[in-house]
Amino acid sequence: MLEPFYPDYYVSSAYVIPYRQLYEKGIRGVIFDVDNTLVPHDQPADDRAKKLFGEFHRMGMETCLLSNNKEPRVASFAGCVGSKYIYKGGKPSVKGYLKAMELMGTDRETTIFVGDQLFTDVYGANRAGICSYLVKPIHPKEEIQIVLKRYPERAVLYFYKRSKNRARKENKKEGTI
């Protein structure tokens, strides 16, 4: 029942994902949410974000920012990091994810998505058939509509973590038999 909201991976930060290893395994594009995924809400691209996107460019990885925010916010950030972008992306609608892959020249098998919200970011990526990475929000200060979504997200994450622990125990048990 809650599985459509479960990420494929849940990590502490967009900056700890092993992008080089993913590239070696055939990933060629990364779709990112911006606010509270790469930088705190409404903050400009910082040195860490610029360095990360520089690494993508050097290895030949395509990027696209997919945000529900307005164009001035997304375009400004994209310009600083040298990324393609889609503003007012309509997440969790699949349309924005498909457009992002089209812009990058990738497909479902060669693309991952990285974002900080379950009900927009992860749910949309899962619906689009893209591997999803959920990251912990960078900063606690958020708009009220996002704060209100964090409460039901906690419940979903509880069941997500519980299912992962069960699967881990079963795999361990199977390995010892």
Side-chain angles (χ1 to χ4, degrees):
M1 181 170 118
L2 296 174
E3 287 83 5
F5 301 105
Y6 290 178
D8 292 302
Y9 300 95
Y10 183 32
V11 296
S12 62
S13 166
Y15 298 97
V16 301
I17 297 169
Y19 298 106
R20 171 77 55 197
Q21 290 174 357
L22 292 169
Y23 184 83
E24 290 168 3
K25 291 180 179 180
I27 297 299
R28 294 296 179 261
V30 184
I31 304 170
F32 282 101
D33 175 53
V34 179
D35 289 319
N36 249 349
T37 297
L38 293 167
V39 293
H41 190 77
D42 279 335
Q43 294 298 306
D46 58 17
D47 289 340
R48 187 166 68 157
K50 291 174 187 174
K51 180 180 175 193
L52 178 65
F53 280 77
E55 291 171 18
F56 288 132
H57 298 145
R58 282 187 291 283
M59 76 172 94
M61 183 95 77
E62 292 291 330
T63 60
C64 186
L65 305 175
L66 176 58
S67 175
N68 286 345
N69 215 322
K70 296 175 184 159
E71 186 173 22
R73 164 68 178 140
V74 185
S76 171
F77 193 95
C80 288
V81 298
S83 180
K84 296 166 179 68
Y85 69 92
I86 297 169
Y87 65 96
K88 289 189 178 180
K91 295 180 290 184
S93 170
V94 172
K95 192 165 37 170
Y97 297 85
L98 297 177
K99 179 69 175 169
M101 287 186 286
E102 181 183 319
L103 290 172
M104 295 187 299
T106 61
D107 58 29
R108 288 172 171 90
E109 290 75 35
T110 60
T111 305
I112 64 169
F113 178 85
V114 181
D116 70 298
Q117 293 186 55
L118 286 177
F119 300 130
T120 52
D121 297 333
V122 170
Y123 181 53
N126 290 346
R127 290 177 64 215
I130 301 169
C131 178
S132 58
Y133 280 79
L134 176 69
V135 299
K136 294 179 181 176
I138 290 177
H139 196 275
K141 182 181 177 250
E142 298 179 297
E143 296 175 341
I144 188 66
Q145 71 271 17
I146 297 170
V147 170
L148 295 174
K149 286 191 269 184
R150 294 293 184 196
Y151 293 105
E153 276 188 358
R154 284 188 196 124
V156 173
L157 283 172
Y158 169 81
F159 289 106
Y160 165 78
K161 290 174 186 174
R162 197 166 97 176
S163 74
K164 289 291 183 189
N165 285 337
R166 275 193 192 134
R168 204 172 300 124
K169 286 178 185 177
E170 287 178 21
N171 288 339
K172 197 180 232 184
K173 190 185 289 185
E174 289 173 10
T176 59
I177 294 176

